[in-house]
Amino acid sequence: MDARFTELLTPYLPYLGDRELTADTPLREYGLDSMQAIELMLSVEDTYGVELPDEQLTEETFSTAGKLWDALSGQLGGQGSDTAPAADAV
Amino acid sequence: MSGVTGQGPRTDLLAAVEQVRALAAKHAEETDEAARFPVAVLDELRTTGLLGLLVPAEYGGLGGGLDELLDITMELGRADMSVAMIFSMHCQQVAGVVHHAGPRLAGELLPLVAAGRMYLASVTTEAGKGGHLLTATAGLTAEDDGLDIDRFAPIVTGGEYADGFLITMRSPEARSAGDVSLVYAHRDQLTITPSGDWNPLGMRASHSTALRLTGRIPEHQVVGEHGQFRTVVLNTFGPLAHLGWAASWLGTASGALSRVLRLLRSPDGRKGANLDSELLMTRLSRSRQRLETVHALMRHTAEVVTRVRAEGDDLSRPRYQMLINSLKITASEECHRAVEDLIDAVGLRHGYLKGSPTGLERALRDLRSAALNYSNDRLHLADGKLALLDAEVRFA
């Protein structure tokens, strides 16, 4: 996950507090509700200039930070969460 | 099992279903009048084994599936909508246990359900959360020897007669109101304090009073993982609730249409009604058309849910959730309107008065609850959000 992504995601997680945002951070537990999930998706799409395919828009995708990053990086040229940050690919 | 949709209850269950339906029809007027739970009908559901419809055969149950659930619920709805709702909501709880409980809880609970000794009630309502199913205010407290429950619920269908309860509460380590666990509690494990009267417009026999539940349960009675109620809802409770409710409402409206048609075809009815009336024909047609729409949508939804499960696909996908929600909204509106059409068709005497053999007055009161029973307004909000997630507009 790149810095831009964690920066974008953090405001949607009001219960995260001082904890570090990692790939395993469960998004709903830390306060992402369904309406915010849509805002988050649009914001991710705007920031990275991609469109997340409908097939990816499942509960699973929004379950953890890492899963959402995986879905995003899939659109950024196939880079997974354990590869280099994808920000330069835009 | 026949496995064929639209063929009526599977043959080996026909006699049992007819027994329960006949008893429900016999008691319907009286339980409606007195707003009393149909205890005799519940007893018949116990002795016929139908409470164990969805319990797999290895636990001694009937091993039925979605099609059987819909067929039987519709039959019961023809006689009494409260009975159909009591039955289908119990089956929904059973499915929750079958699909999400750990082996220990399933092993303890399912044989009791199959033996007719376990009628399960659902406790998801809570004051002050505005009908939000997926949030909880009261929290479970973790103790050394289990989990403490202290929970008030304003509406629990059949709660005073249930042998066990599936209850939503905030998880012990919850960070947000959406961190909800589903737990099972046996009647013996709880102190149950009923409060308030039950005197509603319709659904009077469902006896859905307020209850306060307190007690302690062992940790293995959490259904699914802590905080995973959302998963139970998206995969099991949501689909089963909306399908079961749709079948209850469609059964109720079908029973009403059937009784009107029989009246119109009887020698006395032919004297009172003009079968040459184009207006009457149009109203009968509209009523039937509404029921055809609901029936087709209900069977299609059941087929999709069964297929998605069999293929191991994810029911949380927007297109599946929108289908399941659309079924609920459509069924609640169309079944109610179908009965209104019939009231216009037959007029005051057979449409509006208690005591008419058409039973339209009670059917209309009962069906008025459909749009409110998990509010259509709330479902439209959910579907609006889901629609934004399916910009391609693909249908299930």
Side-chain angles (χ1 to χ4, degrees), chain B residues 247-282:
Chain B
S248 304
W249 303 332
L250 181 57
T252 304
S254 306
L257 175 58
S258 170
R259 291 186 297 271
V260 166
L261 296 174
R262 289 198 186 288
L263 178 79
L264 291 174
R265 283 168 49 159
S266 71
D268 277 355
R270 287 204 301 275
K271 273 184 228 153
N274 177 9
L275 295 187
D276 292 333
S277 160
E278 289 186 356
L279 189 55
L280 175 60
M281 290 306 114
T282 303

Side-chain angles (χ1 to χ4, degrees), chain A residues 1 69-70 73 79-85:
Chain A
M1 301 191 293
W69 174 253
D70 284 343
S73 46
Q79 299 178 64
S81 54
D82 38 29
T83 60

Side-chain angles (χ1 to χ4, degrees), chain B residues 105-314:
Chain B
L105 180 60
E108 287 170 5
L109 213 45
L110 295 176
L112 288 176
V113 178
R117 287 160 52 204
M118 177 61 61
Y119 163 53
L120 284 170
S122 156
V123 183
T124 57
T125 58
E126 196 166 14
K129 66 174 187 179
H132 281 285
L133 177 67
L134 295 172
T135 63
T137 309
L140 289 163
T141 315
E143 300 291 342
D144 289 345
D145 58 343
L147 298 162
D148 266 0
I149 295 172
D150 185 351
R151 173 85 154 79
F152 176 77
I155 295 189
V156 183
T157 294
E160 288 186 47
Y161 303 88
D163 307 295
F165 300 83
L166 288 180
I167 306 166
T168 55
M169 294 192 70
R170 216 180 271 198
S171 308
E173 307 290 322
R175 298 182 184 95
S176 63
D179 197 343
V180 178
S181 299
L182 181 68
V183 295
Y184 167 75
H186 196 270
R187 192 168 194 94
D188 293 352
Q189 295 170 322
L190 295 170
T191 304
I192 300 167
T193 320
S195 62
D197 282 342
W198 174 247
N199 189 17
L201 174 69
M203 289 297 291
R204 293 173 59 80
S206 72
H207 203 79
S208 307
T209 47
L211 295 181
R212 180 175 202 92
L213 307 169
T214 51
R216 184 169 296 179
I217 55 163
E219 180 73 35
H220 78 274
Q221 289 183 200
V222 177
V223 180
E225 303 289 312
H226 269 305
Q228 292 304 306
F229 178 58
R230 188 182 173 85
T231 310
V232 178
V233 170
L234 291 173
N235 291 291
T236 307
F237 273 9
L240 269 277
H242 292 193
L243 281 161
W245 293 340
S248 304
W249 303 332
L250 181 57
T252 304
S254 306
L257 175 58
S258 170
R259 291 186 297 271
V260 166
L261 296 174
R262 289 198 186 288
L263 178 79
L264 291 174
R265 283 168 49 159
S266 71
D268 277 355
R270 287 204 301 275
K271 273 184 228 153
N274 177 9
L275 295 187
D276 292 333
S277 160
E278 289 186 356
L279 189 55
L280 175 60
M281 290 306 114
T282 303
R283 282 174 170 154
L284 292 178
S285 162
R286 276 203 200 288
S287 179
R288 174 81 191 208
Q289 175 202 354
R290 295 188 194 284
L291 303 192
E292 293 290 355
T293 304
V294 175
H295 183 253
L297 186 55
M298 180 185 80
R299 296 295 184 188
H300 172 60
T301 306
E303 211 179 294
V304 168
V305 169
T306 306
R307 171 165 46 86
V308 169
R309 278 190 175 154
E311 290 171 356
D313 194 8
D314 182 355

Side-chain angles (χ1 to χ4, degrees), chain A residues 15 19 26 28-31 34-35 38 41 51 54-60 62, chain B residues 175-177 179 228 230 234 314 316-319 385-386 388-393:
Chain A
Y15 301 102
R19 294 174 196 84
R28 292 197 188 277
E29 267 183 65
Y30 286 105
S34 58
M35 195 66 227
I38 292 162
M41 175 196 77
E51 193 175 323
D54 289 351
E55 274 306 298
Q56 297 273 2
L57 300 177
T58 62
E59 281 286 301
E60 171 93 7
F62 290 93
Chain B
R175 298 182 184 95
S176 63
D179 197 343
Q228 292 304 306
R230 188 182 173 85
L234 291 173
D314 182 355
S316 79
R317 287 186 194 286
R319 61 176 178 271
K385 294 171 196 169
L386 289 165
L388 284 169
L389 295 177
D390 185 39
E392 288 177 30
V393 191

